[in-house]
Amino acid sequence: MDHDRTPVSVALFDATRSSRRRFLPRLATLPAALGLGFFIEPKPVAARKHNGQRKKRKHGGNKKNDKNRGGGGGYSPDGEERAFLDLINNYRHQNGAGNLSLQDQLGAAADHHSQDMANKNYFSHTLSNGDSAEHNIEHFGYTNWSFVGENIAAGQETAQAVMDAWKSSPEHDRNMRNKNFTEIGIGRAYNKSSKYGWYWTTTFGSR
């Protein structure tokens, strides 16, 4: 009998900026937390323009000649994060989707979210300061996007373990196979004093 299993809640956000619908199915208990699958469809043109005006873009954007390294904007993926990029791109290829390239701003957002969860000992798409996943992505300069999404997980140390967990969840799996996404940020963090130890975030986007 398993006493250490924790309930998992999975959500899919499928919406425009003007009207959001939330789907919150419950999954059976699992050894580690899978979190929420987050996805937002394209915003109206007027909303994208407005968003670009109210959010100041930061430096360190996509480096077209450095797609697989994350560029030079302060985002430096570790070995397991790079391994996850290979895993997800192989998986997307098997499912008829194009490769994702590492993107500095998405990577910085993913790193921040994972580190925040590890340091503050929580597990949610809403960050400790109250920011939504979408606002966190925009805070790091990824504005004027067409599509954004996010997967989070906790308790898995390796790229293969988190890949297997997300593949087992329809909502997370859908994000990983989504043909609308062209870029990704991958962040994992560890804190031995936290509930789950390891925390993963993948931020997806296209512009």
Side-chain angles (χ1 to χ4, degrees):
M1 184 174 183
D2 294 322
H3 297 287
D4 297 328
R5 298 194 168 212
T6 55
V8 178
S9 175
V10 176
L12 173 65
F13 290 70
D14 183 358
T16 64
R17 224 177 238 287
S18 59
S19 175
R20 294 189 175 180
R21 294 176 295 141
R22 296 188 177 191
F23 302 89
L24 300 166
R26 299 289 296 186
L27 292 187
T29 58
L30 295 174
L34 292 185
L36 312 171
F38 163 88
F39 172 61
I40 300 182
E41 290 182 357
K43 298 175 286 186
V45 173
R48 291 201 300 269
K49 289 182 178 178
H50 174 72
N51 182 61
Q53 291 170 355
R54 70 182 175 86
K55 292 286 185 179
K56 184 177 180 181
R57 186 184 297 272
K58 294 188 175 183
H59 297 293
N62 187 29
K63 307 292 193 270
K64 294 185 181 297
N65 62 350
D66 203 11
K67 285 185 176 181
N68 294 318
R69 292 170 49 200
Y75 171 55
S76 180
D78 66 20
E80 287 298 320
E81 291 163 356
R82 292 178 187 278
F84 184 85
L85 179 66
D86 291 336
L87 289 172
I88 193 172
N89 278 336
N90 288 338
Y91 185 53
R92 285 171 64 85
H93 179 71
Q94 294 167 11
N95 286 275
N99 280 357
L100 300 173
S101 59
L102 288 178
Q103 205 277 345
D104 285 348
Q105 294 156 333
L106 289 174
D111 270 349
H112 175 70
H113 195 170
S114 292
Q115 197 65 59
D116 195 48
M117 288 190 290
N119 290 343
K120 303 293 178 58
N121 195 25
Y122 73 94
F123 185 63
S124 172
H125 277 295
T126 302
L127 280 73
S128 63
N129 65 357
D131 280 353
S132 66
E134 174 192 353
H135 289 154
N136 181 54
I137 288 168
E138 291 180 338
H139 173 77
F140 283 90
Y142 199 82
T143 56
N144 297 318
W145 45 264
S146 297
F147 295 86
V148 292
E150 180 180 84
N151 283 355
I152 58 174
Q156 301 87 358
E157 179 178 358
T158 67
Q160 187 65 63
V162 77
M163 183 70 179
D164 291 343
W166 281 333
K167 284 171 67 175
S168 72
S169 166
E171 290 81 5
H172 299 86
D173 186 58
R174 188 177 300 122
N175 268 355
M176 293 198 298
R177 293 183 291 103
N178 194 322
K179 295 180 181 180
N180 293 307
F181 294 138
T182 60
E183 299 176 310
I184 189 172
I186 307 164
R188 71 169 188 153
Y190 177 74
N191 186 332
K192 66 180 181 180
S193 300
S194 63
K195 180 176 181 179
Y196 293 109
W198 289 98
Y199 295 81
W200 284 81
T201 304
T202 50
T203 48
F204 304 94
S206 63
R207 291 191 288 200

